């Protein structure tokens, strides 16, 4: 029976991946950070299942910034596969906490790889890379595109990408990068723009007088579904040889388009007026529902991310199945249940 270790198991991707691997018969070990509040909400269904918790799922306290702790966990578990999903994953926050972001996202990957090297084992390693490593390189971006990150987060993820390749080539470690473009789900954190939009507009549709404040609504992104993408993480480690692959839908939309889809689904009749930071969305009564705030713009914006995943589609025998409108509907339905 295979064993997998997931860093960041309590996050969006980690929770979906844990469910997938348990379904496939794995014993799953997860690393979570110690916190003064409960942070296991996304995997609570697994924890509450007595047939799974401490039988097919085991949790360990740890942090990517703690080499000794990581070494203790990895050497005691000796997993067949490690999925490094943990990170400080908010791009905007990375400008405010660049040192921590680099420590966790860049050096964290190095720490795990160095432990694998020292163990001289056959552990397979998956590194969660990000489309942010491309920055403003013209789309569509693929494995041969120029890397030009425009945030401490993107720079840190690029270090992790290159150190994964370096350890693969220098030491023969089965280490692969998945360069995932934006992927969302009902489990997306509330500070991310997709969930923020859905959460706020659901409340407004139910009578709230709040105003949704956004930044660059003209940013273009390639949105997939997290539940689909974690399946591809697993498939990448099942290949005969390690590889670096872009995972994306090949379809991109503006943040404004995402807002409009959510509003239409909730039967919110909005109209847009003005330009630039003065642009607003108002309802039929003329009340401002959405406005732009310069404070929500990044110091360096990434304008257009659209992935070319043709290599992954061929190697992994995959095509994206969930359209953006289906993703939006799922997020809204989940939010409506939470607000009952």
């Amino acid at each position: 029976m295979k064993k997998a270790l997931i860093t960041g198991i309590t996050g969006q991707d980690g929770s979906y991946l844990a469910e997938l691997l348990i379904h496939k018969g794995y014993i799953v070990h997860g690393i979570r950070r110690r916190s003064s509040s409960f942070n296991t909400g996304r995997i609570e269904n697994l924890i509450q299942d007595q047939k799974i918790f401490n039988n097919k799922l085991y949790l360990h306290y740890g942090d990517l910034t703690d080499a000794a702790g990581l070494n203790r966990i990895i050497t005691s578990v000796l997993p067949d596969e490690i999925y490094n999903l943990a990170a400080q994953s908010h791009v905007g926050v990375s400008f405010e906490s660049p040192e921590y972001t680099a420590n966790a996202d860049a050096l964290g990957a190095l720490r795990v790889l160095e432990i694998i090297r020292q163990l001289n084992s056959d552990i397979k390693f998956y590194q969660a890379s990000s489309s942010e490593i491309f920055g403003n390189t013209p789309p569509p971006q693929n494995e041969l595109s120029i890397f030009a990150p425009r945030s401490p987060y993107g720079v840190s993820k690029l270090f992790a990408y290159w150190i994964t390749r370096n350890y693969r080539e220098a030491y023969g470690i089965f280490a692969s990068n998945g360069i995932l473009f934006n992927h969302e789900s009902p489990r997306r954190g509330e500070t991310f723009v997709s969930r923020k939009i859905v959460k706020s507009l659901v409340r407004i549709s139910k009578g709230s007088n709040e105003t949704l404040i956004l930044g660059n609504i003209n940013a273009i992104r390639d949105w997939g579904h997290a539940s689909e993408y974690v399946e591809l993480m697993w498939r990448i480690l099942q290949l005969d040889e390690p590889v670096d692959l872009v995972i994306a839908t090949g379809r991109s939309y503006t943040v404004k388009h995402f807002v409009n889809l959510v509003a239409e689904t909730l039967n919110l009749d909005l109209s847009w007026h003005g330009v630039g930071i003065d642009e607003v969305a108002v309802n039929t009564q003329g009340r401002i529902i959405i406005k732009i705030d310069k404070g929500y713009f990044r110091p360096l914006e990434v304008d257009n991310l659209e992935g070319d995943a043709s290599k992954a589609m061929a190697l992994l025998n995959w095509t994206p199945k969930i359209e953006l409108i289906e993703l939006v509907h799922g997020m809204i339905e989940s939010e409506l249940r939470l607000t009952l």
Side-chain angles (χ1 to χ4, degrees):
M1 187 175 293
K2 282 188 175 181
K3 288 186 292 184
L5 176 65
I6 303 172
T7 71
I9 194 170
T10 60
Q12 170 187 253
D13 293 6
S15 64
Y16 280 117
L17 181 60
E19 290 174 354
L20 174 75
L21 295 179
I22 289 169
H23 178 73
K24 290 183 177 296
Y26 280 65
I27 299 295
V28 174
H29 292 258
I31 297 179
R32 58 172 172 166
R33 286 180 294 179
R34 187 174 293 278
S35 172
S36 60
S37 59
F38 292 109
N39 59 358
T40 56
R42 295 184 182 92
I43 56 171
E44 200 61 34
N45 60 316
L46 300 176
I47 293 173
Q48 294 299 323
D49 191 329
Q50 295 181 355
K51 294 181 180 178
I52 292 177
F53 191 53
N54 288 332
N55 182 26
K56 298 178 181 179
L57 171 67
Y58 299 88
L59 297 180
H60 310 265
Y61 285 109
D63 194 293
L64 286 180
T65 63
D66 176 13
L70 288 173
N71 186 68
R72 171 182 53 80
I73 294 168
I74 294 172
T75 54
S76 63
V77 173
L78 285 178
D80 299 286
E81 300 167 0
I82 295 177
Y83 297 85
N84 186 34
L85 311 187
Q88 190 298 101
S89 56
H90 198 287
V91 176
V93 170
S94 77
F95 284 99
E96 299 178 17
S97 301
E99 183 179 344
Y100 175 75
T101 300
N103 196 2
D105 299 9
L107 296 182
L110 171 60
R111 291 181 182 106
V112 176
L113 285 162
E114 181 61 11
I115 293 167
I116 294 173
R117 184 190 70 81
Q118 291 178 5
L119 286 172
N120 193 27
S121 74
D122 294 326
I123 297 173
K124 293 184 176 181
F125 176 78
Y126 171 87
Q127 171 59 29
S129 192
S130 166
S131 58
E132 290 287 335
I133 66 177
F134 293 114
N136 273 340
T137 294
Q141 297 98 358
N142 61 28
E143 295 83 2
L144 299 179
S145 297
I146 295 171
F147 299 133
R150 291 172 63 81
S151 67
Y153 171 78
V155 172
S156 300
K157 281 292 187 179
L158 185 54
F159 176 94
Y161 168 89
W162 279 116
I163 204 66
T164 297
R165 289 191 57 166
N166 181 261
Y167 268 61
R168 177 173 77 217
E169 295 166 7
Y171 305 116
I173 295 173
F174 194 112
S176 295
N177 285 289
I179 309 173
L180 273 58
F181 280 61
N182 290 61
H183 48 290
E184 319 294 328
S185 78
R187 301 181 189 179
R188 190 51 136 160
E190 295 180 8
T191 61
F192 289 86
V193 69
S194 59
R195 178 76 186 283
K196 177 182 175 181
I197 291 166
V198 171
K199 190 175 184 68
S200 183
L201 291 185
V202 163
R203 287 198 300 258
I204 291 170
S205 74
K206 297 170 78 66
S208 170
N209 289 321
E210 67 191 88
T211 300
L212 171 60
I213 302 175
L214 296 173
N216 183 10
I217 60 173
N218 295 311
I220 299 171
R221 293 294 183 267
D222 183 326
W223 277 297
H225 200 291
S227 64
E228 274 198 87
Y229 284 16
V230 298
E231 166 85 21
L232 303 179
M233 297 177 187
W234 174 77
R235 290 193 195 183
I236 285 172
L237 290 196
Q238 310 317 306
L239 295 171
D240 293 334
E241 300 292 337
V243 69
D244 307 313
L245 292 177
V246 162
I247 303 297
T249 69
R251 300 182 292 268
S252 59
Y253 307 90
T254 63
V255 173
K256 185 176 181 179
H257 179 81
F258 189 97
V259 170
N260 288 335
L261 281 181
V262 175
E264 291 166 10
T265 304
L266 291 167
N267 295 316
L268 289 172
D269 190 1
L270 301 182
S271 58
W272 293 88
H273 305 274
V275 295
I277 61 171
D278 297 320
E279 189 169 12
V280 296
V282 301
N283 63 11
T284 52
Q285 289 76 45
R287 185 174 82 83
I288 294 178
I289 302 298
I290 303 168
K291 65 181 181 179
I292 310 303
D293 188 326
K294 189 69 174 178
Y296 284 85
F297 282 69
R298 303 175 185 176
L300 288 172
E301 285 291 324
V302 172
D303 299 322
N304 192 344
L305 294 174
E306 179 181 305
D308 168 16
S310 53
K311 184 177 178 181
M313 291 178 185
L315 279 178
L316 304 177
N317 189 28
W318 168 77
T319 54
K321 298 179 179 62
I322 301 176
E323 299 282 347
L324 181 61
I325 188 64
E326 297 175 74
L327 169 62
V328 166
H329 285 171
M331 293 181 72
I332 289 173
E333 289 169 5
S334 174
E335 204 64 53
L336 286 169
R337 288 194 296 270
L338 291 173
T339 56
L340 288 177

